[in-house]
Amino acid sequence: MGHGGGGTLSAELVQHVFAPAFGGETLAQFGDSAALTLGGARLAFSTDSFVVRPLFFPGGSIGDLAVNGTVNDLAMSGARAAYLSCGFILEEGVELETVSRVAEALGAAARAAGVEVATGDTKVVESGRGDGIYINTAGIGLIPAGVDLRPQRVVPGDVVIVSGPVGVHGVAIMSVREGLEFGVEIESDCAALGGLVEAMLAVTPDLHVLRDPTRGGLAASLNEIAAASGAGVVLTERHVPVPPAVANACAVLGLDPFYVANEGKLVAFVPREHADAVLAAMRTHPLGAQAVIIGEAVEAHPGMVVARTGLGGTRVVDMPLGEQLPRIC
């Protein structure tokens, strides 16, 4: 299970098994989506699979995740998603009413994101060999001229911005899966981020890199960017927005909010001269209303992420080994 958690084990699986078998310069980018040139157009192309349990949770469902997860991967390349494919793997015995609810949620999420489900596939596996419903989606979108989002563009001095509170999705899933109560219902932050990214790019196309911190949370995304760019990253721990309900739940469960998954947040590395304007634009969008600056890229400790604590010290924010909360997407 750790190999599916988005941390060190996942990276080793990709780098030592899949990448050598598949080869190719495009795959070697290891972005949330691949940036391609085809027929003179710059395209973003991404695929993702969704195996979350339970199928329905506060704030969303596996159908919402299947759309928003892929739309967001495309958005992290600066692309506005245009078309999705959708594959349903159904377990024998799952109720058609459940399948219908998931399909309706998926269709509604696609319409809300402004994307069309253009093709699909259905498979049925024997009872006991699935978990009700699994979904795979792939998506394509156009990358605007002048947009080049990749971690290799990060340089010391870049400002790190997060679009809102972290850790919400993972705690929401755990609360319903395990029947835990924290005094207040925690809803997933599942949302499509294309409109927020468009608002940011309208300020300047010269954003350096965007990531949606899903599996492995904020810590995994920042470590991936630091490793790929060769820059160090310094966070101010108290500036990272963690809702009190999430902080309390993580304290009870022994989790670090930095490592808990999100499904409607992004982290951006922005040139310092554009940071204030980009932050202001983010705050005018509903999905970026709570955006804050949480740190910067630095020359020191290349490839490493550290956090300044409230006591004046620093701690290393390592890449997670696996996933604290399995099956969150």
Side-chain angles (χ1 to χ4, degrees):
M1 291 302 294
H3 284 90
T8 300
L9 292 177
S10 290
E12 290 178 351
L13 183 65
V14 170
Q15 293 169 4
H16 299 305
V17 177
F18 297 131
F22 302 156
E25 295 181 1
T26 303
L27 180 64
Q29 297 173 12
F30 293 126
D32 285 344
S33 60
L36 313 168
T37 300
L38 186 64
R42 293 185 68 221
L43 300 176
F45 178 39
S46 183
T47 187
D48 207 343
S49 299
F50 300 87
V51 298
V52 67
R53 179 171 55 86
L55 299 176
F56 302 93
F57 47 84
S61 71
I62 191 172
D64 300 282
L65 285 176
V67 171
N68 294 338
T70 297
V71 165
N72 291 346
D73 284 347
L74 297 174
M76 297 307 103
S77 291
R80 183 73 175 185
Y83 297 101
L84 297 180
S85 71
C86 178
F88 272 71
I89 298 92
L90 308 176
E91 183 184 14
E92 178 187 19
V94 66
E95 295 182 357
L96 287 178
E97 180 184 0
T98 300
V99 178
S100 178
R101 285 182 63 197
V102 170
E104 289 173 359
L106 191 152
R111 289 187 290 273
V115 64
E116 180 180 349
V117 179
T119 187
D121 180 55
T122 305
K123 293 290 187 296
V124 178
V125 298
E126 295 90 343
S127 178
R129 301 200 174 208
D131 201 12
I133 300 173
Y134 297 152
I135 301 177
N136 172 270
T137 49
I140 57 173
L142 286 170
I143 302 174
V147 173
D148 181 18
L149 299 173
R150 49 193 173 88
Q152 292 79 10
R153 296 195 64 217
V154 170
V155 296
D158 281 358
V159 172
V160 182
I161 303 174
V162 67
S163 63
V166 301
V168 179
H169 176 72
V171 171
I173 295 296
M174 178 58 74
S175 66
V176 293
R177 180 185 299 162
E178 304 299 338
L180 302 175
E181 296 184 2
F182 303 109
V184 61
E185 183 177 72
I186 301 173
E187 291 193 358
S188 170
D189 57 350
C190 183
L193 296 169
L196 176 61
V197 172
E198 286 185 351
M200 298 167 69
L201 291 174
V203 174
T204 175
D206 189 30
L207 306 179
H208 284 169
V209 68
L210 301 177
R211 285 289 170 90
D212 59 331
T214 53
R215 293 178 304 168
L218 181 66
S221 292
L222 293 177
N223 273 278
E224 289 169 356
I225 293 169
S229 67
V233 177
V234 175
L235 306 178
T236 301
E237 193 169 53
R238 68 178 181 275
H239 290 173
V240 179
V242 180
V246 170
N248 293 338
C250 287
V252 170
L253 298 170
L255 304 176
D256 184 335
F258 284 17
Y259 294 89
V260 178
N262 312 270
E263 284 292 346
K265 300 296 187 300
L266 64 80
V267 59
F269 282 67
V270 181
R272 184 170 296 278
E273 62 268 25
H274 300 306
D276 289 341
V278 170
L279 181 63
M282 294 174 72
R283 288 176 171 172
T284 65
H285 192 280
L287 296 179
Q290 300 182 69
V292 292
I293 293 172
I294 60 171
E296 63 180 337
V298 297
E299 292 184 1
H301 49 79
M304 183 181 296
V305 181
V306 303
R308 296 192 181 104
T309 69
L311 297 177
T314 59
R315 67 180 179 96
V316 176
V317 181
D318 284 326
M319 186 74 166
L321 181 63
E323 174 60 79
Q324 297 185 102
L325 303 175
R327 303 285 296 279
I328 45 76
C329 64

